[in-house]
Amino acid sequence: MAFRFCLFILYLTLNLNGYTQTVSNQKIRAEISDEISNEEFDSAYTKITNLINANQSNEDELIELLGLKYILFTNKEELHNVIAVHTEFVDLEKTYPKNHTLKSYKHLIKAYIESSLSHYKEAVEEAQLALLSGEKAKNSKLINQANLQIAQSYVQTGNTGQAIKYANKVYKGQIKDKDYIGQLGALLVLNSCKVQLYLEDKTESNEKRILANLSLLNDLAVNNKEDLGAYNETSVYINVANFYISVNPDYPDAKKLGTQALDKAFATARPMKVNDYLLAHIYNLEYQLRNSNKDPKAIQSLFKGIQALKSSALVNNYMLAYQNLKIAEHYEGIENYKTANKYLREVQHYSDLANSNDQKESLLNNEIYFQSQRSEAEKKLLDEKIDLLNKQKILSFIILFFSIAFGYVTYLYVRKKRDEAVIAKIIAESELVNTHGQLKSIKKEKIKLEKLALIDKLNLDKKTEVLNQISSKNSDNFESNVKKIIKTSDENDKEIFLMKSTLKEIHPDFIDFLMERSNNTLTEIDLKYCSYIHLRFNTVSIASILNVETKSVRMAKYRIKQKLKLDKDLDLNKFLQNYPQE
């Protein structure tokens, strides 16, 4: 038990030491960030180096420290050192290939380098990759930095719409994270975009958008002085002053508002240790303001700007050339061409320094070095794509083979089933046809037999009638009996009744059908004719049976056809003989 207790105490001690170390590192990183913001670069670099050496085995800590190193060199605008940090990230990725935070930093730094070399399209592509990796790492800080880099690259290409879109994403994200420096970066990008839109189209709506953005910047600077630091606070006041003095000097009380912003900028910039860029910008704006007021001493502001640049540890020859150009333009405006030429020579001098062979060679070396790294990365990516394509081809071939085989087997199976179904259908149809044929033959035979039986019965009845007549002739009242045979309708009625009753036995609806079609206009003798016709007796046979002339039969047929309302083209014989098929 005592041994286990000792192990437990040791475990707590180690974890407490680790926690204490982490808290200590976080505190030092915060100090480094403050020093970078205040341009205390040497102290910040020393602390970063010491922490990196002490945290070689700590993956997350090492990545964050290299990230601070990158921020340090971007603030110092030392591109060659930024490229070196990118190389460190590339090497570190070999050890931690699945770390998305590391990948995000790597692409973010590459985007900054591409932007510095004026490769803005490539910068956007790399920043997009940094954004994807940042999202996978769920690192809001890197997500916002990537969006900001995309926005800044779009500003350089003049795509203000996309720049505003991504800057707004950054601003919303930084509000959520309460990152005031991040909010400031987004608002500065938005301000740059909105100023550009206003210069292109000076409408009241565009002016209101800038003023709303400047209001947000001013509130951010006033309410978060300690978090932003003097450098960032000064940047806010410079942007506000620039709008009223340079962008829109016709705005009501523009000079007053511009002067107030300049005073705030001077107040925050002067105590800073390194203030060349900021003071130079402030003095430029002060010159524009004083010159618009026709102040004869306005030129003194430009001289102060040059002095600030020359006293800086970080010499900026481009800015010096620009300041001297402004002075030359001033003297040219008052027709002091001798002094103007003097400062134009200064402009040429600093321009030559800015574009000296050494600087050109340094920039070229940076670009060549980075291009070689990019070529190697692209070659590696190309090799991976080729390998993947080869694997995909093999897999596609296998899938295609099995698909064809499966399709062929399926085809054979379906074809077999289809053939079986066709054969079964043919057999069923054949059986059905045979059955229908047999039924039809049987039906026809039945009808034929029924009609023959009817004819036989009628013939029999007729013979009986003749015999009765003959018998009557042998009787004493021969003449009287003959007259009865001719005139008495009772016998005819019996014959008609016999015919109707016989037909009803075979075709019970025949007589009803005829009466309905003729609207009950057919007489008993008409029905008698119809019955004989239905039984396929011709005109001569009917005349013989009924002891009438053939002409009488034809006239009777004509009369019946009219009563049945048949078309002229329709034959009465066919109509009656085909019943009940019609």
Side-chain angles (χ1 to χ4, degrees), residues 255-267:
K255 291 181 179 180
K256 178 182 177 182
L257 294 169
T259 302
Q260 291 175 354
L262 274 182
D263 290 341
K264 291 179 180 179
F266 274 124

Side-chain angles (χ1 to χ4, degrees), residues 21-170:
Q21 183 65 35
T22 301
V23 172
S24 177
N25 288 346
Q26 290 176 349
K27 184 179 178 181
I28 296 173
R29 286 208 308 271
E31 292 175 359
I32 293 170
S33 296
D34 290 339
E35 288 177 348
I36 292 173
S37 297
N38 294 322
E39 297 189 356
E40 297 173 6
F41 299 130
D42 292 339
S43 175
Y45 181 76
T46 301
K47 289 178 180 178
I48 291 171
T49 304
N50 291 335
L51 281 177
I52 288 175
N53 292 332
N55 290 274
Q56 285 296 321
S57 59
N58 190 330
E59 177 182 350
D60 295 332
E61 193 69 27
L62 193 57
I63 292 169
E64 290 299 327
L65 289 169
L66 285 176
L68 278 174
K69 197 174 182 181
Y70 151 67
I71 293 170
L72 169 66
F73 290 133
T74 55
N75 276 268
K76 292 182 72 176
E77 297 187 356
E78 295 178 356
L79 184 60
H80 62 286
N81 281 327
V82 174
I83 293 175
V85 175
H86 178 264
T87 304
E88 289 185 69
F89 270 107
V90 171
D91 292 338
L92 192 62
E93 189 180 20
K94 297 173 184 177
T95 308
Y96 308 112
K98 296 182 179 180
N99 192 305
H100 293 295
T101 301
L102 187 153
K103 291 178 185 292
S104 185
Y105 267 120
K106 183 189 74 171
H107 289 300
L108 189 64
I109 296 170
K110 193 173 181 182
Y112 173 83
I113 297 168
E114 294 284 13
S115 181
S116 299
L117 298 173
S118 301
H119 303 156
Y120 300 115
K121 181 182 176 182
E122 290 81 359
V124 170
E125 291 172 356
E126 288 297 329
Q128 293 280 14
L129 292 173
L131 180 61
L132 288 174
S133 295
E135 288 173 346
K136 289 179 181 178
K138 297 180 180 179
N139 190 319
S140 58
K141 180 180 72 173
L142 288 173
I143 290 171
N144 290 326
Q145 286 185 18
N147 278 321
L148 186 60
Q149 180 64 60
I150 294 170
Q152 290 170 341
S153 298
Y154 276 130
V155 168
Q156 295 298 328
T157 60
N159 193 338
T160 52
Q162 287 291 347
I164 289 172
K165 172 186 171 183
Y166 281 94
N168 276 323
K169 285 184 179 181
V170 178

Side-chain angles (χ1 to χ4, degrees), residues 326-345:
K326 285 292 182 182
I327 295 173
E329 288 175 350
H330 173 81
Y331 282 113
E332 188 177 1
I334 60 175
E335 298 182 357
N336 187 344
Y337 299 112
K338 183 177 179 180
T339 306
N341 284 329
K342 171 187 172 184
Y343 284 99
L344 281 175
R345 286 193 293 272

Side-chain angles (χ1 to χ4, degrees), residues 348-404:
Q348 186 64 47
H349 169 69
Y350 288 114
S351 296
D352 290 341
L353 289 176
N355 297 290
S356 66
N357 290 332
D358 290 341
Q359 286 193 330
K360 286 181 180 179
E361 186 177 354
S362 175
L363 184 61
L364 184 61
N365 288 338
N366 285 334
E367 183 160 6
I368 291 171
Y369 175 73
F370 184 65
Q371 290 284 8
S372 65
Q373 283 195 330
R374 184 165 60 187
S375 297
E376 289 178 6
E378 289 174 352
K379 182 178 178 299
K380 182 180 177 182
L381 183 62
L382 184 61
D383 291 339
E384 290 175 355
K385 285 183 178 179
I386 292 171
D387 184 52
L388 180 61
L389 284 173
N390 290 331
K391 290 178 181 178
Q392 287 177 343
K393 283 181 181 178
I394 295 171
L395 182 61
S396 298
F397 176 76
I398 294 171
I399 293 172
L400 180 63
F401 173 77
F402 281 105
S403 297
I404 293 172

Side-chain angles (χ1 to χ4, degrees), residues 208-227:
K208 286 181 178 178
R209 290 189 185 99
I210 297 175
L211 290 171
N213 200 76
L214 290 175
S215 178
L216 290 173
L217 278 169
N218 190 68
D219 291 344
L220 189 67
V222 171
N223 299 324
N224 304 281
K225 291 178 179 290
E226 293 183 2
D227 293 305

Side-chain angles (χ1 to χ4, degrees), residues 178-443:
K178 295 184 179 180
D179 183 345
Y180 301 114
I181 293 177
Q183 290 177 41
L184 175 67
L187 288 173
L188 289 176
V189 171
L190 287 170
N191 190 67
S192 176
C193 293
K194 290 172 182 179
V195 166
Q196 183 62 37
L197 290 173
Y198 176 75
L199 292 174
E200 292 173 0
D201 186 14
K202 292 186 177 183
T203 61
E204 186 178 352
S205 59
N206 282 337
E207 182 183 81
K208 286 181 178 178
R209 290 189 185 99
I210 297 175
L211 290 171
N213 200 76
L214 290 175
S215 178
L216 290 173
L217 278 169
N218 190 68
D219 291 344
L220 189 67
V222 171
N223 299 324
N224 304 281
K225 291 178 179 290
E226 293 183 2
D227 293 305
L228 291 178
Y231 185 93
N232 290 317
E233 187 183 355
T234 305
S235 298
V236 171
Y237 299 138
I238 288 174
N239 274 269
V240 174
N242 182 64
F243 174 74
Y244 293 117
I245 296 171
S246 181
V247 177
N248 191 11
D250 296 327
Y251 186 80
D253 294 329
K255 291 181 179 180
K256 178 182 177 182
L257 294 169
T259 302
Q260 291 175 354
L262 274 182
D263 290 341
K264 291 179 180 179
F266 274 124
T268 53
R270 284 194 176 108
M272 294 171 61
K273 295 180 180 179
V274 181
N275 49 31
D276 55 338
Y277 300 130
L278 296 180
L279 279 177
H281 281 300
I282 295 168
Y283 283 127
N284 274 333
L285 290 171
E286 185 185 51
Y287 164 74
Q288 292 180 47
L289 182 63
R290 293 174 69 180
N291 196 45
S292 66
N293 292 329
K294 302 186 183 305
D295 183 350
K297 295 183 179 180
I299 191 69
Q300 297 299 322
S301 296
L302 292 177
F303 289 136
K304 290 177 181 178
I306 289 177
Q307 187 61 37
L309 288 169
K310 286 183 176 180
S311 63
S312 172
L314 300 173
V315 178
N316 190 318
N317 292 310
Y318 287 108
M319 285 288 290
L320 284 167
Y322 177 77
Q323 292 290 100
N324 280 283
L325 179 62
K326 285 292 182 182
I327 295 173
E329 288 175 350
H330 173 81
Y331 282 113
E332 188 177 1
I334 60 175
E335 298 182 357
N336 187 344
Y337 299 112
K338 183 177 179 180
T339 306
N341 284 329
K342 171 187 172 184
Y343 284 99
L344 281 175
R345 286 193 293 272
E346 289 292 307
V347 172
Q348 186 64 47
H349 169 69
Y350 288 114
S351 296
D352 290 341
L353 289 176
N355 297 290
S356 66
N357 290 332
D358 290 341
Q359 286 193 330
K360 286 181 180 179
E361 186 177 354
S362 175
L363 184 61
L364 184 61
N365 288 338
N366 285 334
E367 183 160 6
I368 291 171
Y369 175 73
F370 184 65
Q371 290 284 8
S372 65
Q373 283 195 330
R374 184 165 60 187
S375 297
E376 289 178 6
E378 289 174 352
K379 182 178 178 299
K380 182 180 177 182
L381 183 62
L382 184 61
D383 291 339
E384 290 175 355
K385 285 183 178 179
I386 292 171
D387 184 52
L388 180 61
L389 284 173
N390 290 331
K391 290 178 181 178
Q392 287 177 343
K393 283 181 181 178
I394 295 171
L395 182 61
S396 298
F397 176 76
I398 294 171
I399 293 172
L400 180 63
F401 173 77
F402 281 105
S403 297
I404 293 172
F406 177 76
Y408 183 67
V409 171
T410 304
Y411 167 74
L412 292 177
Y413 176 78
V414 172
R415 183 178 175 182
K416 180 182 177 183
K417 289 291 183 183
R418 184 186 63 193
D419 292 344
E420 289 176 355
V422 170
I423 292 169
K425 185 178 180 182
I426 291 171
I427 293 171
E429 287 177 351
S430 299
E431 292 176 352
L432 188 61
V433 168
N434 291 335
T435 303
H436 284 313
Q438 291 172 1
L439 289 172
K440 193 172 182 181
S441 299
I442 292 169
K443 189 174 181 181

